[in-house]
Amino acid sequence: MSSVKNFLAKASASKAAKEVPTSLKEMPAKIVPTAADSLALHDQIGAAMKQGQQQAQANNQQAVQQAVAGARFLVDQFGVTRIAKGPEAIPLDSMRGMDLLRLAVYKATGKAAGDDTLKREIGVVRAKAQASGERTFVHKRTAIGGTGVVIDAGGDRCIRVSSEGWVEGAHDGGTFFVRGPGYGEIPSPVRPASPKDALRVLDTIFERMGVPDIRRLMLAVALVNALRPGVPYVVILLVGGAGSGKTTTAGNLAGFIDPTTSGELPNVPLNAQDVAAVGGEQHVLGADNISKIDPEASDLLCMAANGSEFVVREFNTRKDTARLFVHCQFILTAITNPVTRGDLLDRLLPITLEPHTDYKGEDEVRAWFRKVQPVATGALVELLSAGLARLPEVKRQRKWTHRLVDFCQLGEAIAQACGMEPGTFVEQFNSLRFESAQEAASGDPVIQHVLDVVRDVASKAEAEESFPPWRRWGTTPGFVAIKCGAKVEVAIKASTLRDRVRNRAMGSNGRWIPDSDKQMADVLLQKKPVLAAIGIHVVRHCFNGDSGAAWVFSWSE
């Protein structure tokens, strides 16, 4: 009986199992979508995703606009749109400018802004800033502030210097500065007891650096002068053999007025593109271990020391240009003095470093610098204040004959503020010019031959108050010399001078030089400042119209 029941139960289970597939066959027609349903579903998903993207983009755009609305934008004197970060003005198109906006968006939303959204908003901001027509002057490290000077010390700190003294404090929010890569902060300066004490402090520091005593006052004035905006700077040249500490000294001198985070002096190739790019952001530049200075580099150094506007081509473009104002304090180093052109010699402060007898390790040198840096900076701003106070009186004391009149007046003002006799600084500076010119002239064979010819003619000088008529000497012999008291004057035709010099000087290319009257004229015009510095004045004078032109050399015995 049980076997029958088991059989019937198995049959019933088998029948039920056979009925399940029948019901499953009806299901696909109910749940599997058609092609039209699939397309509709795809469109719905795409629309939802697009709506989400648009909403996210709108939120992103709103976040960027909110961040931008809280930022301050300005257009500098050259038309470059910048974003202000405290007293610093950062180019909007630069990587730092973009990163600053990204950071602002992230702080506001907790999310990063997309590049497209950021660039779109930057374009709007630039257009609005440019359309306003307002221009804000952006400075490097030092700026004119009222009747004095504002020195950017880093962070929100500045040092205000005037004729009444100096004080360290916070920026006022109205003066903006460029802070290039590697920008370093000036430590809080230590106040000296008096200007005389400040000069004594610097004298001790310079002595440790190997600066000879006769150059320490001029070096101090050069560094103080570099803290003044809008005046020509001198070009400092440190000369010395291997191991004299030229590079270290150059870096330390720069660190007193324009420090870097690395502690090193930024060195730049002497070409217009690099000097314009780096000089637009750094106040003190260097050129280390130079062996020669060609005419183009010499002119470039003069332009940077005076302050000049450079127009250079933008990278990766053919027509776009950039305008950059470059006004830098240059510190050069060399084994021997490579400067020969008169314009640069007029602006040069050559310093031959005394050899070291007690060398220190790198860590010890850096530790010493960190110790004296705030002391030296305090001494420099103290001397600047004292010089500004004395400057109006000094300007009225004498006739200023050198082109670096601002430098000479400041030097004289500082010297007198420190208790020195009037004329002390000017005498030192004139002595320096004479020594530098003599060195340059002695190293120039063409100038030496010109002087030999002129002195030979001068040996035949006659006692006269003025030159005799042209017809007596213009054709033959082509020269004449007169002497009136201690003054000697030599007039010599251009062709006669050329022929006589050509017989003495030979160029490296195997040709006699100078090869023409024009070349002779070029040489004399280039060397005119050098000759003037050693007391020989040169002018071109017409005795008988254009056909009666001659070079006139004059000096006092």
Side-chain angles (χ1 to χ4, degrees):
M1 187 69 181
S2 58
S3 61
V4 173
K5 290 180 178 181
N6 291 336
F7 175 78
L8 291 176
K10 290 180 179 181
S12 177
S14 175
K15 183 178 179 181
K18 291 179 181 179
E19 291 177 353
V20 171
T22 304
S23 62
L24 287 176
K25 289 179 182 179
E26 298 175 356
M27 291 181 62
K30 296 180 181 180
I31 64 172
V32 177
T34 64
D37 293 335
S38 298
L39 291 174
L41 181 61
H42 181 272
D43 291 342
Q44 291 176 1
I45 295 174
M49 291 179 64
K50 185 176 181 180
Q51 183 178 2
Q53 290 174 351
Q54 290 175 344
Q55 184 62 41
Q57 189 175 8
N59 294 338
N60 195 7
Q61 182 77 19
Q62 185 179 6
V64 172
Q65 290 174 349
Q66 291 175 353
V68 168
R72 180 175 180 179
F73 298 92
L74 56 93
V75 181
D76 69 12
Q77 61 269 34
F78 301 112
V80 177
T81 306
R82 296 176 177 268
I83 179 172
K85 181 184 178 185
E88 183 182 7
I90 304 169
L92 187 59
D93 286 335
S94 67
M95 186 64 70
R96 289 188 64 212
M98 297 280 285
D99 289 344
L100 192 60
L101 285 179
R102 287 192 180 95
L103 180 61
V105 173
Y106 181 79
K107 287 182 176 180
T109 65
K111 297 180 181 179
D115 286 345
D116 292 340
T117 304
L118 202 60
K119 290 179 180 179
R120 188 183 308 112
E121 194 62 29
I122 285 176
V124 175
V125 168
R126 185 189 298 106
K128 290 181 178 179
Q130 296 285 347
S132 70
E134 297 180 2
R135 293 292 184 268
T136 303
F137 206 97
V138 179
H139 310 268
K140 285 187 311 174
R141 187 62 81 172
T142 178
I144 296 175
T147 58
V149 174
V150 179
I151 303 170
D152 183 25
D156 194 40
R157 299 165 42 247
C158 70
I159 304 170
R160 298 185 179 277
V161 188
S162 70
S163 58
E164 298 177 356
W166 61 272
V167 62
E168 181 184 6
H171 281 283
D172 59 9
T175 307
F176 295 94
F177 294 87
V178 174
R179 293 176 178 176
Y183 175 93
E185 295 191 5
I186 297 177
S188 295
V190 176
R191 189 181 298 274
S194 65
K196 190 173 183 179
D197 181 58
L199 195 60
R200 180 191 59 79
V201 166
L202 291 174
D203 189 84
T204 302
I205 293 173
F206 294 160
E207 181 181 13
R208 169 72 180 267
M209 292 178 170
V211 178
D213 177 70
I214 193 62
R215 296 289 182 262
R216 292 173 195 167
L217 174 60
M218 278 184 283
L219 178 58
V221 174
L223 295 178
V224 173
N225 189 61
L227 293 174
R228 301 170 68 197
V231 299
Y233 299 151
V234 298
V235 177
I236 300 173
L237 171 65
L238 302 180
V239 178
S244 59
K246 301 184 298 295
T247 302
T248 302
T249 299
N252 289 343
L253 293 176
F256 293 152
I257 57 177
D258 188 31
T260 61
T261 53
S262 66
E264 303 292 336
L265 174 63
N267 285 287
V268 58
L270 295 181
N271 61 72
Q273 193 80 34
D274 290 320
V275 170
V278 183
E281 296 184 334
Q282 299 286 347
H283 185 54
V284 180
L285 299 181
D288 197 24
N289 285 320
I290 54 177
S291 57
K292 66 177 181 178
I293 298 180
D294 58 35
E296 290 76 15
S298 179
D299 294 342
L300 189 64
L301 288 169
C302 293
M303 293 170 65
N306 273 359
S308 300
E309 186 173 298
F310 286 69
V311 180
V312 295
R313 183 174 61 84
E314 293 268 18
F315 285 115
N316 303 319
T317 66
R318 292 187 178 183
K319 295 183 178 180
D320 293 340
T321 59
R323 295 168 58 220
L324 298 171
F325 183 78
V326 178
H327 189 201
C328 299
Q329 173 62 64
F330 259 97
I331 303 179
L332 315 177
T333 68
I335 295 178
T336 59
N337 190 342
V339 179
T340 58
R341 290 174 69 88
D343 279 354
L344 184 54
L345 276 173
D346 266 359
R347 298 170 173 83
L348 192 69
L349 174 56
I351 299 173
T352 301
L353 297 179
E354 298 173 349
H356 290 279
T357 57
D358 183 19
Y359 288 97
K360 306 294 182 182
E362 185 68 20
D363 292 341
E364 189 174 354
V365 171
R366 289 187 179 274
W368 173 81
F369 172 75
R370 288 191 295 269
K371 180 181 178 180
V372 303
Q373 185 185 14
V375 178
T377 302
L380 291 173
V381 295
E382 179 73 19
L383 291 178
L384 176 56
S385 176
L388 292 176
R390 194 86 174 188
L391 202 54
E393 179 185 348
V394 167
K395 289 181 178 180
R396 298 189 295 266
Q397 289 179 355
R398 63 167 63 228
K399 180 180 179 181
W400 303 91
T401 57
H402 194 271
R403 66 169 65 184
L404 290 179
V405 58
D406 296 284
F407 174 72
C408 293
Q409 289 175 346
L410 179 66
E412 190 64 29
I414 290 174
Q416 293 183 26
C418 293
M420 300 181 192
E421 292 294 326
T424 300
F425 181 83
V426 173
E427 289 177 5
Q428 286 193 18
F429 188 67
N430 287 337
S431 176
L432 168 68
R433 290 181 60 209
F434 183 77
E435 292 175 11
S436 299
Q438 275 193 322
E439 181 181 354
S442 64
D444 190 319
V446 176
I447 287 297
Q448 284 302 306
H449 295 316
V450 169
L451 294 179
D452 288 343
V453 171
V454 171
R455 290 186 182 119
D456 183 56
V457 174
S459 66
K460 305 176 181 63
E462 299 179 359
E464 297 284 351
E465 292 186 358
S466 60
F467 288 111
W470 171 263
R471 63 179 181 274
R472 288 176 49 185
W473 60 274
T475 305
T476 305
F479 57 82
V480 67
I482 61 173
K483 185 174 182 180
C484 183
K487 185 177 182 181
V488 179
E489 291 184 280
V490 172
I492 183 169
K493 287 174 56 178
S495 58
T496 304
L497 180 62
R498 177 201 66 204
D499 292 339
R500 291 200 167 207
V501 171
R502 188 170 57 182
N503 291 335
R504 297 171 180 265
M506 183 175 183
S508 58
N509 59 0
R511 296 179 61 192
W512 296 102
I513 58 171
D515 202 38
S516 64
D517 291 349
K518 183 181 183 307
Q519 289 185 7
M520 187 76 258
D522 291 343
V523 169
L524 292 176
L525 290 175
Q526 290 172 7
K527 304 302 180 181
K528 188 175 180 178
V530 178
L531 294 172
I534 60 177
I536 301 176
H537 301 280
V538 184
V539 295
R540 189 175 183 272
H541 184 74
C542 293
F543 291 90
N544 187 33
D546 292 339
S547 61
W551 290 99
V552 177
F553 299 79
S554 61
W555 66 92
S556 296
E557 293 184 336

